[in-house]
Amino acid sequence: TAYFGLMRIGRPEAGDTLVVSGAAGSTGATVAQLGRIMGCRVIGIAGGAEKCEWLMHEARIEAVIDYKSQDVMARLGELAPDGIDVFYDNVGGAILDAALAHIAHHGRIVVCGAISQYNTARPAGPSRYLNLILRRARMEGFIVTDFAAEFPKAQKRLAQWIREGEIVYREDVQTGFENAPRTFLRLFSGANRGKQLLKVAEPG
């Protein structure tokens, strides 16, 4: 999902400013590191000091914004004064609006998810969508299975980058089948650290 959303929809180029929301999650962290590999200037948006520190020191991206303690709109203006070339969105809502406010001319917005909106009775649409016209920008959603024919190629490249230490990852493992609902809900509060997994039994 990270690979095809960024490479095929976002189409990053060296020197681009890439902003990733939900950047400490499994998909977001991979996108952020792929952007670094592609030569982008990467800004991650995540919730909490611990996640932001991991992104800076382990994922080795250039800058982070803690949406829980910082003004995302203001920080994007400070960190991306020339605009956002690629915005990879996992969150939607106010953070998407902030990115739209700062989108660069001919910028690309990758709509992967909108976790801030999934449990709302009436999901909020972007209020700054007219910037897509003014900046000649593009906003496109996708489903990863659109690219199923290319999965082997992507898996080979990703595996190589993991072996080389260019991509690191975290797994958040909870235990017990009875905890499945609670574990699932961790995704919506941001409690997970990396890929959320549930261990239901010992292998064997």
Side-chain angles (χ1 to χ4, degrees):
T1 301
Y3 180 91
F4 289 108
L6 181 64
M7 301 298 198
R8 295 292 295 276
I9 310 298
R11 300 178 184 176
E13 298 180 0
D16 278 351
T17 294
L18 165 66
V19 176
V20 185
S21 65
S26 177
T27 299
T30 305
V31 171
Q33 293 173 88
L34 287 172
R36 170 174 50 75
I37 292 168
M38 294 297 106
C40 296
R41 179 172 174 268
V42 183
I43 302 167
I45 303 173
E50 189 272 339
K51 290 183 177 181
C52 290
E53 184 173 340
W54 184 86
L55 285 166
M56 289 287 289
H57 299 293
E58 299 295 327
R60 309 194 316 274
I61 67 173
E62 183 162 325
V64 293
I65 299 171
D66 183 349
Y67 74 83
K68 291 186 176 180
S69 64
Q70 296 179 305
D71 182 322
V72 175
M73 180 73 78
R75 289 292 287 148
L76 284 175
E78 295 164 3
L79 294 170
D82 296 323
I84 299 167
D85 298 297
V86 183
F87 177 56
Y88 194 107
D89 190 26
N90 295 297
V91 173
I95 289 178
L96 171 57
D97 265 341
L100 277 164
H102 294 285
I103 198 70
H105 283 274
H106 304 290
R108 288 84 69 200
I109 297 175
V110 183
V111 185
C112 177
I115 201 163
S116 72
Q117 303 298 304
Y118 293 155
N119 290 331
T120 59
R122 189 173 182 179
S127 64
R128 292 185 171 86
Y129 75 93
L130 291 179
N131 270 358
L132 296 172
I133 301 170
L134 298 173
R135 309 282 169 78
R136 290 79 163 173
R138 177 170 54 83
M139 184 171 175
E140 183 176 348
F142 76 103
I143 301 295
V144 69
T145 50
D146 297 344
F147 305 100
E150 301 176 57
F151 282 3
K153 176 183 176 182
Q155 289 168 342
K156 183 177 180 180
R157 295 189 78 187
L158 290 164
Q160 181 66 30
W161 284 321
I162 291 170
R163 285 194 297 270
E164 293 171 351
E166 290 295 332
I167 294 177
V168 297
Y169 62 92
R170 295 195 293 182
E171 294 178 337
D172 186 323
V173 183
Q174 303 296 302
T175 304
F177 183 74
E178 69 279 6
N179 291 317
R182 180 184 61 80
T183 301
F184 178 66
L185 290 173
R186 287 169 61 85
L187 296 169
F188 297 92
S189 65
N192 61 300
R193 301 293 186 266
K195 182 68 173 179
Q196 184 66 75
L197 300 172
L198 178 66
K199 182 178 182 180
V200 298
E202 294 293 339

